[in-house]
Amino acid sequence: MTTSYPVSSSRPFDYPRPMSALHCGKVSLEALARRYGTPLYVYSADQIVERLAMFQRALAGRDYLVCYAVKANSALAILKLLAARGAGFDIVSGGELERVLAAAPEAAGRVVFSGVGKTAAEIDLALEAGILEFNVESEPELELLARRAQKLKRKARFALRVNPDVFAETHPYISTGLREHKFGIDIRRAPAIYKSAARHRWLEAHGASVHIGSQIRSAEPFGSAIERVSRLARLLAREGIVLKAIDAGGGLGIDYHSGEFDAEAHVRGYASAIETALGDFEGRLLLEPGRFIVAQAGALLARVLHVKRNGKKTFVVVDAAMNDLIRPALYQAHHEIVPVCWRPGRERVVDVVGPVCETGDFFARDRKLAPVEPGDLLALLDAGAYGMAQSSNYNTRPRAAEALVEGGKARLIRRRETMADLLAPEMI
Ligand SMILES: *Cc1c(COP(=O)(O)O)cnc(C)c1O
């Protein structure tokens, strides 16, 4: 007797029949793992495109731009896929801008640049590329932007990223909307800053932005934040500063546990809370979703190396580790783990761990798992966001390969790193 693993229909990874092998669309994951090796990230292009389309449907009828947050998953192939369907991008470094320019140079005018520590070189790069908007997080940054814009004779469209002092229920490391956080400018200071910037020849007060955190599951805090921003926009309009855009940031969360998840309903609820809060604001709405677009489109495949017993505990040691997917170690995050091929027998309570020399190198603790043997393939689900993007070479482990499944076909979008790649920058 085997308990069936509920892999919900909202995920692109599924078993075509009970007791069959896990697939991504028509593509067998076992076949992919044989072809490209493990650890391997696999993404569904269809799912990524469908998630973007959910935002597009929810906002149809108003002026909007979905700026995908590149930091969630910055694979060039994914950026290109999204750009081709009209997405813009939210970047947080000059490196991410270089990625957008490499994957979809035509999208440069749809880029917003966030982040608390932009350098002069990064600002110059973005001014030259003609990005849509700089989301400015402090007065010294605005002064630097003004100096660079003047020097390059390029007008800088800016938005102040205001801190709305809204609390959003999420992990403390990814909550950003409180006054005590390092992000944004106190919303009470914003009007004075807009007024003084309005006098600068090379600055254009283009918008106002907020980003209150990540993996936020309820629409309500987004509504509260946007209410405060639209109040600011009304106040500025009365002073003659008419903003063209309000940027609501990213942060919409997903369900990392198994079971049904109505993604479309979530996006609709989120969009409607924001639209209500915008009131009579007639400008453009910018959104910066990252996780919601890519998280559930991705899985990390890992081979079982050993099944090891220490007293009462059973450890399933796999060939992926915290350097490939750090979310469990960093945020105590939950990822569903399912066997790619079934073995009959009873579930056991196990820890799923990687080979890295850290006790924090685990993917699951005290988790019920179907029987597995060395050589079996496991899939860590919902790993498309903040997985590969946060990977490292810790323990001198080459980074994983990445494959994209599109229209029933899979292709490699990043080859596995080699030892030569790792050693190349070093000198003895
Ligand atoms: C990280 C980040 C996002 C994306 O957040 P998600 O939770 O992945 O949607 C959007 N905007 C800014 C400014 C960010 O820092």
Side-chain angles (χ1 to χ4, degrees):
M1 224 341 256
T2 308
T3 328
S4 75
Y5 272 94
V7 178
S8 91
S9 60
S10 62
R11 294 191 174 95
F13 299 93
D14 212 348
Y15 301 96
R17 293 171 310 283
M19 298 298 287
S20 67
L22 194 67
H23 279 62
C24 178
K26 290 195 188 71
V27 174
S28 149
L29 296 181
E30 184 62 57
L32 277 190
R34 289 221 182 99
R35 196 184 317 158
Y36 301 127
T38 52
L40 176 70
Y41 275 99
V42 181
Y43 309 111
S44 158
D46 297 342
Q47 165 90 354
I48 293 170
V49 167
E50 171 56 16
R51 285 292 167 96
L52 172 65
M54 285 179 190
F55 286 94
Q56 294 170 328
R57 286 194 288 271
L59 296 170
R62 78 160 300 130
D63 188 9
Y64 74 91
L65 180 65
V66 178
C67 296
Y68 165 69
V70 172
K71 75 173 188 282
N73 187 321
S74 55
L76 297 180
I78 291 177
L79 302 184
K80 185 168 178 193
L81 188 74
L82 290 166
R85 279 138 190 102
F89 297 97
D90 169 51
I91 58 162
V92 291
S93 71
E96 288 189 350
L97 178 55
E98 300 274 18
R99 283 186 170 274
V100 172
L101 296 176
E106 73 284 1
R110 306 198 296 261
V111 168
V112 300
F113 192 172
S114 305
V116 289
K118 301 176 190 80
T119 65
E122 289 176 314
I123 289 173
D124 288 359
L125 184 69
L127 283 168
E128 300 282 11
I131 68 163
L132 178 63
E133 179 182 283
F134 290 84
N135 288 344
V136 170
E137 302 224 9
S138 67
E139 288 171 79
E141 187 196 329
L142 187 61
E143 286 157 22
L144 176 62
L145 178 63
R147 282 199 302 278
R148 300 317 302 169
Q150 183 156 21
K151 173 108 194 187
L152 292 157
K153 308 244 175 312
R154 297 250 182 181
K155 194 127 192 182
R157 286 175 291 273
F158 76 91
L160 294 188
R161 172 169 173 184
V162 294
N163 190 319
D165 203 26
V166 162
F167 176 71
E169 186 72 51
T170 185
H171 191 280
Y173 287 5
I174 50 177
S175 175
T176 58
L178 285 179
R179 214 167 280 147
E180 70 206 55
H181 297 138
K182 71 177 175 184
F183 299 99
I185 290 169
D186 189 332
I187 194 162
R188 297 166 302 183
R189 289 266 315 128
I193 303 173
Y194 277 107
K195 276 184 240 167
S196 87
R199 290 192 290 272
H200 197 285
R201 172 154 177 231
W202 296 99
L203 291 178
E204 178 192 335
H206 181 262
S209 81
V210 279
H211 172 70
I212 56 174
S214 196
Q215 184 51 13
I216 297 165
R217 297 291 313 278
S218 117
E220 199 239 22
F222 295 107
S224 314
I226 291 301
E227 248 168 53
R228 290 173 201 194
V229 178
S230 36
R231 209 179 301 146
L232 169 67
R234 279 197 297 278
L235 185 148
L236 292 173
R238 285 199 296 274
E239 309 268 350
I241 299 170
V242 179
L243 299 181
K244 296 202 179 89
I246 285 181
D247 181 342
L252 186 60
I254 58 143
D255 187 354
Y256 279 97
H257 288 77
S258 69
E260 282 308 314
F261 174 68
D262 188 341
E264 180 117 38
H266 269 75
V267 175
R268 259 192 263 115
Y270 165 78
S272 115
I274 289 175
E275 295 223 66
T276 307
L278 281 176
D280 58 2
F281 178 75
E282 283 180 353
R284 194 178 217 194
L285 170 63
L286 307 180
L287 296 179
E288 303 169 350
R291 184 192 312 272
F292 201 89
I293 299 215
V294 289
Q296 294 183 299
L300 174 60
L301 304 183
R303 285 266 176 224
V304 176
L305 298 172
H306 310 290
V307 179
K308 164 173 173 175
R309 283 179 194 87
N310 264 4
K312 284 194 187 125
K313 296 216 50 134
T314 302
F315 294 94
V316 173
V317 186
V318 298
D319 66 357
M322 65 189 288
N323 74 296
D324 300 300
L325 177 67
I326 204 173
R327 300 191 65 259
L330 188 60
Y331 315 112
Q332 293 80 47
H334 176 97
H335 284 270
E336 290 290 320
I337 302 178
V338 297
V340 169
C341 295
W342 287 101
R343 279 180 189 281
R346 249 211 265 236
E347 289 181 324
R348 277 186 304 210
V349 175
V350 303
D351 282 15
V352 180
V353 302
V356 162
C357 301
E358 298 265 351
T359 304
D361 182 26
F362 62 86
F363 291 126
R365 281 181 163 159
D366 298 325
R367 185 78 66 83
K368 270 192 181 164
L369 194 70
V372 289
E373 303 279 341
D376 286 2
L377 195 60
L378 293 180
L380 286 84
L381 302 180
D382 305 326
Y386 304 106
M388 187 64 178
Q390 293 197 76
S391 66
S392 75
N393 293 121
Y394 188 39
N395 276 210
T396 306
R397 291 169 51 86
R399 253 175 280 231
E402 296 179 288
L404 186 70
V405 176
E406 199 167 8
K409 277 217 174 75
R411 69 186 166 99
L412 201 61
I413 58 168
R414 183 186 164 114
R415 66 163 172 80
R416 185 173 307 286
E417 278 177 345
T418 62
M419 270 317 295
D421 291 330
L422 265 66
L423 298 182
E426 293 193 37
M427 285 141 290
I428 296 176

